[in-house]
Amino acid sequence: AQTVTQSQPEMSVQEAETVTLSCTYDTSESDYYLFWYKQPPSRQMILVIRQEAYKQQNATENRFSVNFQKAAKSFSLKISDSQLGDAAMYFCAYDDMRFGAGTRLTVKP
Amino acid sequence: SQTIHQWPATLVQPVGSPLSLECTVEGTSNPNLYWYRQAAGRGLQLLFYSVGIGQISSEVPQNLSASRPQDRQFILSSKKLLLSDSGFYLCAWSLGPRNEKLFFGSGTQLSVL
């Protein structure tokens, strides 16, 4: 079965700086999708970014981008120009089924 | 536009009591439906998913069951709650399997005492 590991329970970043959240996964499949979801204090889960495994190009969404290393089974999220509203729990997910334990991101003003 | 409704928002139940959480989706047809549980300080665990009416797949054998009596209705149930059933329950839907993003409900905080 697929597993998703987020090794950083907590991270902090200074406002306007860049932070990278790590995610690794285990699978024997070659075609799959990876996601980063954000859960702010309201607890409403929101999609941040999606990556298709067969695409070599890293996905980007405004200030959010990923570093997808398929061979290494690594899928990190980079947040540039961090804003106070980025403070949240971030979850890495494999397809719709497997979620990591999450990383709590704190943004310091 | 599509919306998802999940209720109640908060629930406190005694051990041994039954449970029924309901989730409905509007504005789409034949969605994939999911129930997740988030234990305190932990990630999401997929409990059940459904690709159609009456079709339920269970990911984790446990004290809970799910049903899909209508296309856009998904119900999570238990006959007798355990203390370990406490957690934050999230319903979600997607347009298709795997490659589609999930749209989440607002969640139900269940406390079993």
Side-chain angles (χ1 to χ4, degrees):
Chain A
Q2 299 85 4
T3 58
V4 178
T5 302
Q6 293 180 249
S7 59
Q8 306 155 315
E10 297 184 353
M11 292 283 284
S12 66
V13 62
Q14 205 70 34
E15 192 175 7
E17 295 192 343
T18 297
V19 64
T20 298
L21 308 183
S22 302
C23 173
T24 58
Y25 59 94
D26 186 28
T27 185
S28 59
E29 299 184 1
S30 58
D31 185 21
Y32 50 87
Y33 296 79
L34 297 165
F35 305 82
W36 278 99
Y37 285 90
K38 170 184 177 181
Q39 187 180 43
S42 67
R43 305 186 85 175
Q44 180 67 54
M45 294 282 285
I46 306 165
L47 176 68
V48 175
I49 201 165
R50 182 182 85 165
Q51 175 76 44
E52 298 161 78
Y54 66 86
K55 288 189 176 180
Q56 293 185 340
Q57 185 174 7
N58 290 323
T60 62
E61 287 287 342
N62 300 314
R63 297 182 295 107
F64 299 87
S65 61
V66 299
N67 183 4
F68 174 49
Q69 302 289 330
K70 190 173 183 179
K73 297 180 182 175
S74 171
F75 182 60
S76 60
L77 175 69
K78 185 172 82 172
I79 306 174
S80 304
D81 186 24
S82 296
Q83 301 175 359
L84 294 177
D86 295 333
M89 283 288 288
Y90 287 82
F91 293 98
C92 178
Y94 176 98
D95 286 346
D96 290 334
M97 305 293 191
R98 306 284 175 251
F99 282 73
T103 296
R104 182 174 301 280
L105 178 66
T106 302
V107 181
K108 299 178 181 179
Chain B
S1 62
Q2 302 94 348
T3 55
I4 178 169
H5 302 280
Q6 184 181 344
W7 67 94
T10 306
L11 192 59
V12 180
Q13 292 286 97
V15 170
S17 64
L19 173 73
S20 180
L21 302 181
E22 188 166 343
C23 173
T24 59
V25 180
E26 296 179 357
T28 188
S29 297
N30 197 30
N32 279 15
L33 296 171
Y34 306 81
W35 279 111
Y36 293 87
R37 177 170 60 199
Q38 184 178 16
R42 301 184 65 180
L44 274 66
Q45 179 187 37
L46 178 64
L47 301 176
F48 301 95
Y49 69 95
S50 172
V51 299
I53 296 174
Q55 300 177 62
I56 309 293
S57 295
S58 174
E59 284 290 303
V60 181
Q62 58 206 332
N63 187 42
L64 302 170
S65 63
S67 62
R68 184 171 178 173
Q70 301 180 41
D71 181 45
R72 291 170 288 178
Q73 183 184 29
F74 206 23
I75 298 172
L76 183 69
S77 304
S78 174
K79 292 182 180 179
K80 290 185 177 182
L81 284 168
L82 306 172
L83 287 174
S84 57
D85 292 325
S86 294
F88 188 61
Y89 289 81
L90 282 163
C91 180
W93 71 274
S94 70
L95 288 172
R98 305 185 65 190
N99 59 338
E100 296 288 342
K101 75 174 186 178
L102 292 165
F103 298 88
F104 286 87
S106 54
T108 296
Q109 180 63 53
L110 172 65
S111 298
V112 182
L113 306 176

